[in-house]
Amino acid sequence: SFPTRRSSDLARQIRQGMSEREVIALMGKPTRIQPSPIGLVYIWGHLNAVTGSVKTTSVIVNDGVVAADPIILGDRSLPLNIY
């Protein structure tokens, strides 16, 4: 499926301290899960089929709990210096 702008809106609802289950219920199954020294990184890729642009949402999960607010890349509402 090709999530819409709504995917970014959903990602903005993720907060530190949420459970892994809450995040997956909100976002759906991650595109990829990658281990890191600070926990598992859950990654969702969002393709805009019309423009071809891609947004990614990354969430760090440690012991079943979100360790930090999500990182949303490719979102035009974010300052350019985060890329």
Side-chain angles (χ1 to χ4, degrees):
S1 72
F2 298 104
T4 62
R5 171 84 177 137
R6 188 168 175 260
S7 297
S8 293
D9 295 337
L10 291 174
R12 286 187 189 88
Q13 295 177 36
I14 299 170
R15 294 289 177 253
Q16 183 176 0
M18 288 178 76
S19 74
E20 172 187 22
R21 287 183 185 195
E22 289 174 305
V23 173
I24 291 174
L26 183 67
M27 295 292 293
K29 184 179 175 182
T31 307
R32 187 170 77 204
I33 300 174
Q34 192 171 308
S36 82
I38 56 175
L40 295 175
V41 180
Y42 287 46
I43 303 167
W44 290 265
H46 313 286
L47 172 66
N48 182 321
V50 175
T51 66
S53 66
V54 176
K55 294 180 185 180
T56 61
T57 300
S58 300
V59 175
I60 299 167
V61 177
N62 192 339
D63 292 327
V65 177
V66 174
D69 288 348
I71 298 169
I72 305 168
L73 297 178
D75 187 335
R76 292 192 178 127
S77 68
L78 294 175
L80 292 176
N81 63 356
I82 75 150
Y83 292 99

